[in-house]
Amino acid sequence: MAVDPNTNYTNAALRVGDVDPYPQRLVGEFIGTVVANTAVNDEYKLVVLKVHPHALTAYAGQMFHLLCPSPDGAEVWMRRPMSVYRVDKANGRIEFLYKTEGRGTRGMATLKPGDDFNIAGPLGHGFTLEPSWRNIVVLGRGVGLATLAPLSQLAAEHKVGVTAILSARNPGVVMSRDLFEGLGAKTVTVLDSDGSSAVENVEKILEGLIAENKADAFFTCGSNRLLKLMQRLGKKHDIPGQVAMEQIMVCGFGACYVCVRTFEVDGKRILRRVCREGPVFNMQEAVGW
Ligand SMILES: Cc1cc2nc3c(=O)[nH]c(=O)nc-3n(C[C@H](O)[C@H](O)[C@H](O)COP(=O)(O)OP(=O)(O)OC[C@H]3O[C@@H](n4cnc5c(N)ncnc54)[C@H](O)[C@@H]3O)c2cc1C
Ligand code: FES
């Protein structure tokens, strides 16, 4: 690793085994080594990376900015933001669950075991749990479930019960059920294919959980209509909530203001950067999309 003799500082990305000359730094650029990159269903893949110990400080709801390889030889401009799916401290690994969408994620899909993968982070503010919460409800859809899944890890560490409502188009693309259940969460699957994902049905499920005192807080990601539902029920029953937002990003650390979204705070509309003030926000302040 090259160190500038004048500043004693290195800008080089850290690899497994490197000694960090600035151990107090919270965010860094790391070269992970791909351990596996496998399909979990027709649309999603899971990439597992062996990383420098500093990258393992990521917690639920935080993200990394990924320097995706090219799928076609031409350059991929800009990094791609991705929530951390799982942190496996025992094995020094982190995982990302991703949907293959455009050139960046198509490039990710080409990664093979042993390849280098440059990631920057952990970035942003993730989910928090209040000590008084005993049971939380997590409601997500599509790739939003990748962002919510590590909450099960955080909740298990804090001995907080989780009910996860997993919304998907059909049974083939339901995600993260194993991860939630493996950490003790109760899961409920709702689908477009049988109509159970309709807002009225999800509302009934949520009202049932509230009646059973299983909803000290709400968490959501991935669907505007589910956000609106949780906001409405949160207001009605005075249940606090957090939402993980997505927005197109360039810098990922607060400098360019590309990722601003509108929030409503004390009756006033304000702008906040998703990468810096988020990506997790107070659910009642999010305006939605
Ligand atoms: C905080 C955060 C967490 C995310 N976590 C995940 C995750 O865990 N798994 C996952 O599959 N996806 C996640 N996404 C979405 C992911 O960033 C996009 O799918 C990805 O950037 C698309 O890149 P692409 O090159 O494949 O697609 P393209 O459409 O070719 O991308 C073109 C440009 O649009 C941007 N872009 C496109 N879609 C999105 C989007 N939804 N959000 C932000 N930028 C976008 C890209 O960064 C790029 O600059 C997350 C986004 C954010 C902001
Ligand atoms: S992406 Fe640059 S400020 Fe958020």
Side-chain angles (χ1 to χ4, degrees):
M1 185 172 47
V3 177
D4 181 331
N6 297 316
T7 60
N8 205 26
Y9 185 79
T10 174
N11 283 323
L14 294 173
R15 288 173 180 273
V16 178
D18 283 347
V19 174
D20 188 348
Y22 287 89
Q24 72 281 15
R25 74 168 125 193
L26 299 176
V27 174
E29 188 186 4
F30 305 99
I31 305 287
T33 305
V34 177
V35 176
N37 189 20
T38 45
V40 295
N41 57 40
D42 289 348
E43 294 178 5
Y44 293 89
K45 289 190 90 169
L46 181 75
V47 65
V48 182
L49 306 176
K50 181 93 179 163
V51 290
H52 188 277
H54 275 329
L56 300 173
T57 59
Y59 63 92
Q62 281 194 302
M63 61 179 192
F64 281 85
H65 221 15
L66 312 179
L67 197 58
C68 297
S70 169
D72 49 26
E75 188 144 7
V76 176
W77 294 97
M78 297 181 296
R79 289 173 180 263
R80 304 298 196 246
M82 194 107 1
S83 311
V84 61
Y85 182 63
R86 184 161 170 256
V87 178
D88 175 2
K89 288 192 177 150
N91 292 303
R93 295 173 180 182
I94 57 174
E95 301 176 10
F96 299 100
L97 181 69
Y98 63 98
K99 186 171 184 187
T100 311
E101 292 268 28
R103 291 189 63 240
T105 46
R106 280 210 313 276
M108 268 177 89
T110 66
L111 289 167
K112 296 181 299 305
D115 285 351
D116 284 348
F117 191 27
N118 182 312
I119 64 172
L123 296 165
H125 297 278
F127 297 107
T128 49
L129 292 179
E130 296 285 332
S132 61
W133 295 344
R134 300 302 352 128
N135 293 287
I136 60 170
V137 180
V138 170
L139 171 62
R141 183 166 169 92
V143 84
L145 287 164
T147 302
L148 294 166
L151 258 175
S152 56
Q153 210 172 349
L154 187 70
E157 283 163 16
H158 289 79
K159 308 216 173 347
V160 171
V162 177
T163 306
I165 305 171
L166 317 176
S167 175
R169 286 200 315 279
N170 59 61
V173 289
V174 177
M175 282 184 315
S176 311
R177 187 160 46 200
D178 294 351
L179 187 64
F180 277 112
E181 290 180 354
L183 286 156
K186 186 176 164 241
T187 61
V188 181
T189 301
V190 292
L191 303 170
D192 297 354
S193 52
D194 64 9
S196 55
S197 64
V199 169
E200 309 75 59
N201 188 49
V202 179
E203 181 166 354
K204 262 191 222 146
I205 298 170
L206 289 171
E207 289 282 13
L209 291 166
I210 294 165
E212 288 169 35
N213 288 323
K214 289 277 185 327
D216 296 329
F218 284 158
F219 295 83
T220 191
C221 180
S223 159
N224 194 41
R225 79 196 164 108
L226 296 180
L227 166 65
K228 297 281 175 217
L229 171 63
M230 276 195 146
Q231 281 178 325
R232 184 159 54 76
L233 293 184
K235 263 199 192 125
K236 179 175 162 196
H237 296 282
D238 198 19
I239 296 170
Q242 294 165 31
V243 56
M245 311 283 284
E246 280 193 16
Q247 184 62 295
I248 288 183
M249 293 184 183
V250 174
C251 72
F253 53 80
C256 71
Y257 283 74
V258 159
C259 66
V260 289
R261 293 190 78 124
T262 307
F263 293 82
E264 197 166 306
V265 182
D266 300 330
K268 284 201 190 107
R269 293 252 161 156
I270 59 162
L271 297 176
R272 285 178 174 155
R273 295 162 295 183
V274 173
C275 73
R276 184 72 182 189
E277 283 83 44
V280 174
F281 295 93
N282 178 335
M283 186 182 286
Q284 293 300 347
E285 293 178 352
V287 167
W289 58 95

